[in-house]
Amino acid sequence: MKLYSAPYAPNPRRVTMFLAEKGVTDVEIVTLDLQAGQHRTDDFRAKSPFSQIPTLELDDGRCLTESRAICTYLESLYAEPNLMGADPFERAEIEMWDRRAELMVTLPMMMWVRHGNPLLAALEKNQSPAIAAANEATAMKMAKWFDAQLATRDFLAGDRLTIVDLTALAGIDFAKMNKWRPDDETPNLKRWRAMMADRPAGKVAP
Ligand SMILES: N[C@@H](CCC(=O)N[C@@H](CS)C(=O)NCC(=O)O)C(=O)O
């Protein structure tokens, strides 16, 4: 299998962190240069209709896009350690938290960077300071909300690491491009980020 990825891209990193936590090393990583538009070719569009990464290409040529769908597939292939839930309730609960992490934290962080950082102008051709500001405000509000959740537990969903921690970490680390990181205003998130740094996921290059 091949995983199409790119340095500093948060959605592929969600998958590479997932692989790292599972200890999977036999997926070939194909690095694309997004700034140079290597993902906007007809060949790549045949694999990924919206020219997006991550894209997982199976040995028989079938492709999956959407980072969560790729993680679902990998969870079936590499069952341990379980990162997406071991019984019906836990699976649904982890999905609930994962959607919260993705839609309320990671997406606003990404939109803030994409619209607010000149380094992303090649990808986000119509950068808008207003969109950047609105997403920054949402991201900061939700960082505080997630910080409060972590006051009484170590991980974002339940009592062990799950995909939710990886989804959130992908977005939170991407915000470093806009010079934000969890600090004393979000002390629980800061503690969680330090704990994640020591894990396989935290060692995956941004
Ligand atoms: N919902 C998709 C989002 C994928 C996505 O936005 N990927 C970005 C990289 S993080 C991308 O391919 N961007 C290419 C572009 O903007 O041209 C997923 O989770 O896989």
Side-chain angles (χ1 to χ4, degrees), residues 13-205:
R13 186 162 179 251
R14 185 186 191 187
V15 178
T16 49
M17 290 192 291
F18 194 88
L19 289 169
E21 286 290 338
K22 292 216 175 250
V24 175
T25 54
D26 58 353
V27 174
E28 182 189 346
I29 308 293
V30 181
T31 302
L32 300 180
D33 183 343
L34 299 189
Q35 300 284 346
Q38 284 182 343
H39 59 308
R40 293 190 176 152
T41 62
D42 290 343
D43 272 358
F44 191 68
R45 216 168 284 114
K47 302 182 200 301
S48 173
F50 301 109
S51 288
Q52 286 185 333
I53 52 167
T55 297
L56 184 74
E57 185 174 19
L58 277 52
D59 293 341
D60 64 9
R62 287 180 296 169
C63 289
L64 286 171
T65 60
E66 296 299 332
S67 46
R68 199 180 202 281
I70 293 170
C71 290
T72 299
Y73 181 69
L74 295 170
E75 177 88 346
S76 299
L77 291 188
Y78 308 98
E80 296 299 333
N82 178 291
L83 298 178
M84 296 182 81
D87 62 46
F89 183 80
E90 199 196 30
R91 269 194 291 281
E93 191 180 39
I94 289 172
E95 182 176 344
M96 174 183 81
W97 278 103
D98 201 34
R99 287 183 65 81
R100 288 176 180 163
E102 179 169 8
L103 298 175
M104 298 174 182
V105 177
T106 296
L107 191 60
M109 296 271 180
M110 290 192 300
M111 294 295 280
W112 173 31
V113 175
R114 283 187 70 111
H115 281 274
N117 191 313
L119 292 174
L120 274 288
L123 290 181
E124 198 61 64
K125 298 231 177 322
N126 297 311
Q127 280 189 322
S128 154
I131 294 177
N135 279 283
E136 177 184 3
T138 304
M140 293 304 106
K141 184 171 144 201
M142 293 318 300
K144 291 213 166 101
W145 190 82
F146 273 78
D147 179 73
Q149 308 309 305
L150 286 169
T152 52
R153 58 182 194 258
D154 290 336
F155 297 99
L156 287 171
D159 57 4
R160 63 186 168 85
L161 180 121
T162 65
I163 186 173
V164 184
D165 299 287
L166 309 180
T167 302
L169 190 63
I172 284 170
D173 281 359
F174 193 53
K176 274 191 217 160
M177 291 189 72
N178 278 9
K179 302 198 182 336
W180 181 84
R181 64 189 70 215
D183 58 15
D184 292 340
E185 300 234 324
T186 50
N188 302 307
L189 215 48
K190 185 178 171 187
R191 185 194 76 238
W192 166 87
R193 178 65 191 87
M195 181 267 296
M196 291 299 291
D198 287 335
R199 296 196 59 105
K203 301 192 190 318
V204 170

